[in-house]
Amino acid sequence: MGTIAVETLGLVFIEEYTLIDAFYMAVITISTVGFSEVQPLSEAGRLFMAFMIILNIGVFAYALATFSYYIIEGKIFELMERSYMQARVDSLKGHTIICGFGRYGREVARHLKEQGQPFVVIEENLEKLDIPEFEDFEVLYVDGDATHDEVLREAGIDRAVGLITSLNDDSDNLFIVLSAKELNPKLRIISSAHSIRSRQKLMRAGASNVILPEQIGGFYMATLISKPGAVEFFSYVTNELDSDIGFEEIRYDQLPDTMRGKTIMNMNLREISGVNVIGHRSGAGKYNVNPGPMAVLKPGESFIIVGSQPQILALRNALKI
């Protein structure tokens, strides 16, 4: 369209064509249909038209070469896939962002998949996404560096409820936590760390929780020696041993009006779904294990629920969450 406009204006000023005649000449020149001139051209007009013909040939050749490159190299299909993937990511809301698809990132994705929680992965090396465990599951991803703000925005950080970063470099994790907290102050951020000092910095930067994998692994192995039955039971209730037991957190704002201000006994959660309340989280973040039947949920607080998967589902349906 740019060359048509230039050629049209050139013929108007050089040959004093009317705007319609000039536009007609520009179109038949570019399309090479071969109709005759509207009126004979002057020498200046011929030179101008010759220049425009050469320019149009160059533009056409460049466009053809670019299109051939995208077809031969498969770039057009790659762009189509990225456009499709970005559209899927843009449709997410209330999802979790996983930064990095290494050992920990894959494990996080596996658990979120089993729980039916939506998530999107940010990964630079897309070959890491091609693993047998996820071949029958479409992993939504963003190709890029999670330390860049624009990549976090592409992953829908403004619509996400959580972010998990488990990169090998603690400084990268710190950078992501700082950026994520600034982009979405309400986001729940979980980060891994490799040292106590890094853990403290990540917490100050805004991480909700910081996990030291080596520390947890050491505690787990030591407890297997001293309390093997307790560890096996914990593995069972956390679905590590193919159980159907699940946990759920019910916040005050998720309760229907008919249940707010009522005691556990009067809420009849066990009668409604069969679940049990095993924890009461206060607004200050402290937990009361096995709260009594007279415990009441207040604004900013939540109950921790345990039950089988069908019971958890029945509870969600009853509360419409």
Side-chain angles (χ1 to χ4, degrees):
M1 293 301 294
T3 55
I4 291 178
V6 171
E7 193 168 336
T8 299
L9 293 175
L11 289 170
V12 169
F13 287 107
I14 296 174
E15 298 294 334
E16 297 183 352
Y17 278 14
T18 65
L19 190 62
I20 294 177
D21 287 345
F23 177 74
Y24 172 73
M25 281 290 293
V27 172
I28 65 173
T29 301
I30 291 176
S31 61
T32 67
V33 296
F35 288 129
S36 61
E37 302 166 355
V38 173
Q39 65 183 44
L41 296 172
S42 64
E43 290 185 358
R46 290 174 182 174
L47 288 174
F48 173 72
M49 292 301 292
F51 171 77
M52 292 304 301
I53 291 171
I54 294 173
L55 177 64
N56 288 328
I57 292 174
V59 171
F60 177 76
Y62 174 78
L64 182 62
T66 302
F67 180 75
S68 300
Y69 167 77
Y70 275 93
I71 292 294
I72 294 172
E73 297 293 326
K75 295 293 183 181
I76 191 169
F77 300 107
E78 182 179 327
L79 289 174
M80 290 173 62
E81 181 182 358
R82 288 190 179 185
S83 178
Y84 164 77
M85 186 60 62
Q86 190 59 52
R88 292 291 309 277
V89 173
D90 291 342
S91 68
L92 290 178
K93 186 177 181 180
H95 59 288
T96 299
I97 299 173
I98 303 175
C99 300
F101 208 60
R103 291 179 301 167
Y104 300 121
R106 289 194 296 270
E107 192 68 14
V108 169
R110 181 175 69 85
H111 284 283
L112 291 178
K113 178 173 76 75
E114 290 174 353
Q115 297 168 15
Q117 300 295 319
F119 65 90
V120 57
V121 175
I122 298 178
E123 177 57 61
E124 290 183 284
N125 183 5
L126 298 185
E127 292 181 358
K128 291 183 178 181
L129 300 174
D130 188 19
I131 56 177
E133 185 176 356
F134 293 93
E135 62 182 0
D136 296 328
F137 179 82
E138 185 181 28
V139 177
L140 301 185
Y141 67 86
V142 172
D143 181 8
D145 185 349
T147 61
H148 295 167
D149 288 2
E150 61 271 18
V151 175
L152 292 174
R153 291 191 182 96
E154 288 179 17
I157 192 170
D158 57 319
R159 306 182 307 277
V161 296
L163 179 144
I164 299 175
T165 175
S166 57
L167 303 183
N168 294 326
D169 192 332
D170 284 350
S171 60
D172 286 341
N173 290 326
L174 178 62
F175 200 92
I176 291 171
V177 170
L178 286 169
S179 298
K181 198 65 178 178
E182 181 180 355
L183 294 172
N184 186 350
K186 297 181 180 179
L187 196 69
R188 183 169 182 81
I189 303 173
I190 312 298
S191 175
S192 65
H194 296 88
S195 68
I196 296 294
R197 188 166 64 176
S198 294
R199 179 183 185 277
Q200 295 170 346
K201 290 182 179 179
L202 286 162
M203 292 296 292
R204 288 199 299 268
S208 307
N209 298 90
V210 179
I211 308 301
L212 279 73
E214 290 81 5
Q215 187 181 68
I216 292 178
F219 170 80
Y220 191 86
M221 288 186 286
T223 308
L224 277 171
I225 296 295
S226 58
K227 304 177 183 69
V231 174
E232 185 174 342
F233 177 75
F234 178 76
S235 298
Y236 176 76
V237 298
T238 55
N239 298 315
E240 290 295 329
L241 297 179
D242 298 325
S243 77
D244 68 341
I245 295 178
F247 291 93
E248 186 68 51
E249 181 180 10
I250 304 299
R251 302 189 308 273
Y252 176 85
D253 57 17
Q254 293 176 311
L255 293 176
D257 293 338
T258 55
M259 286 190 178
R260 293 182 179 180
K262 288 188 176 181
T263 63
I264 294 177
M265 181 175 62
N266 292 331
M267 290 172 69
N268 296 322
L269 296 179
R270 184 170 178 81
E271 288 74 13
I272 292 172
S273 60
V275 300
N276 287 300
V277 179
I278 63 170
H280 182 186
R281 185 180 187 275
S282 69
K286 295 183 179 180
Y287 288 89
N288 176 25
V289 179
N290 291 327
M294 303 307 294
V296 177
L297 202 59
K298 299 177 182 178
E301 299 182 343
S302 59
F303 282 147
I304 308 301
I305 308 294
V306 65
S308 66
Q309 294 299 338
Q311 290 171 342
I312 296 292
L313 181 59
L315 178 67
R316 290 177 178 172
N317 291 335
L319 301 183
K320 297 180 180 180
I321 59 175

